[in-house]
Amino acid sequence: LSLHDALPICEFYAKTLLAARDAGRIEFDMIFGPAYKGIPLAVSTAIALTAQYDMGVGYTFDRKERKDHGDGGMFVGTQLRDGMKVLLVDDVMTAGTAVREVVPKLREAADVQIVGLVLSVDRMEKTRDSNISAVAAVQQEFGFPVVSIANVREIFDAASHMTGDDGLPLLDEDIKTRAKEYLDTYGA
């Protein structure tokens, strides 16, 4: 596998959430991307689901501040409705701050059911005051599954077997050692 063989990230999101759905873990009506990094992820994942899987699904994202002109409001995209099953998408989770900020906003806007979160990478880091990961802490706190495309250990393992365009290994021994030390210290 070379870096040029990589699929667009939205395809990985689509495949990951469809696998979670097919396994009975997540049923959703729409995709929500927290501002700002989640916005292109929600939009591109909804496009991938529609274009490649004929699954018309809406998307919504929030603004950091309410807008009182133009289309106005706190949200852009599919209108949130009571009973809607909302799937969150984001890039990575460090402490779960984005989820903790957006869940109350969503629930204030409508009586929605937040059914899960799909991340690109589970960093597998311990929370500040425990030995569980931020992902596990969010799952416990909110009661919905958190699914990732990959976790940091999988990424390091895959990268350790890859070469760059120059034919040299992507990860040298120093990077491998430092990554292992970091995960041994901070990993859950």
Side-chain angles (χ1 to χ4, degrees):
L1 178 68
S2 77
L3 293 177
H4 298 292
D5 296 326
L7 293 172
I9 191 73
C10 63
E11 291 182 36
F12 284 105
Y13 274 89
K15 287 179 181 189
T16 299
L17 66 90
L18 288 174
R21 183 200 65 185
D22 293 346
R25 295 187 67 198
I26 298 173
E27 280 294 326
F28 60 97
D29 300 321
M30 60 90 65
I31 298 172
F32 181 87
Y36 289 103
K37 293 181 280 181
I39 295 170
L41 298 174
V43 173
S44 63
T45 300
I47 291 169
L49 288 169
T50 301
Q52 295 178 3
Y53 301 98
D54 199 27
M55 183 179 174
V57 61
Y59 65 86
T60 301
F61 55 87
D62 64 334
R63 302 170 196 232
K64 290 292 184 178
E65 296 178 7
R66 183 174 300 278
K67 186 176 171 186
D68 59 4
H69 60 283
D71 55 1
M74 196 67 203
F75 298 100
V76 176
T78 304
Q79 183 72 33
L80 297 170
R81 296 180 316 273
D82 290 351
M84 188 175 270
K85 294 178 181 176
V86 177
L87 175 69
L88 307 175
V89 294
D90 211 351
D91 58 348
V92 298
M93 182 184 300
T94 302
T97 305
V99 173
R100 288 183 181 91
E101 288 176 357
V102 80
V103 166
K105 287 183 194 178
L106 288 167
R107 291 186 174 152
E108 181 181 303
D111 185 17
V112 299
Q113 179 184 358
I114 300 167
V115 296
L117 168 63
V118 178
L119 301 170
S120 57
V121 178
D122 177 355
R123 292 174 56 158
M124 302 179 77
E125 291 182 8
K126 294 181 232 177
T127 58
R128 184 168 294 211
D129 299 322
S130 77
N131 282 326
I132 66 170
S133 71
V135 165
V138 163
Q139 288 180 134
Q140 286 178 3
E141 182 177 341
F142 293 105
F144 55 71
V146 179
V147 180
S148 62
I149 294 169
N151 67 51
V152 70
R153 292 183 194 278
E154 293 167 337
I155 292 169
F156 280 127
D157 182 57
S160 70
H161 297 89
M162 295 174 75
T163 58
D165 291 337
D166 56 7
L168 297 174
L170 279 182
L171 302 180
D172 63 26
E173 289 306 314
D174 179 55
I175 292 173
K176 288 179 187 178
T177 300
R178 289 188 297 148
K180 182 182 179 326
E181 289 170 355
Y182 184 86
L183 291 171
D184 288 347
T185 302
Y186 300 105

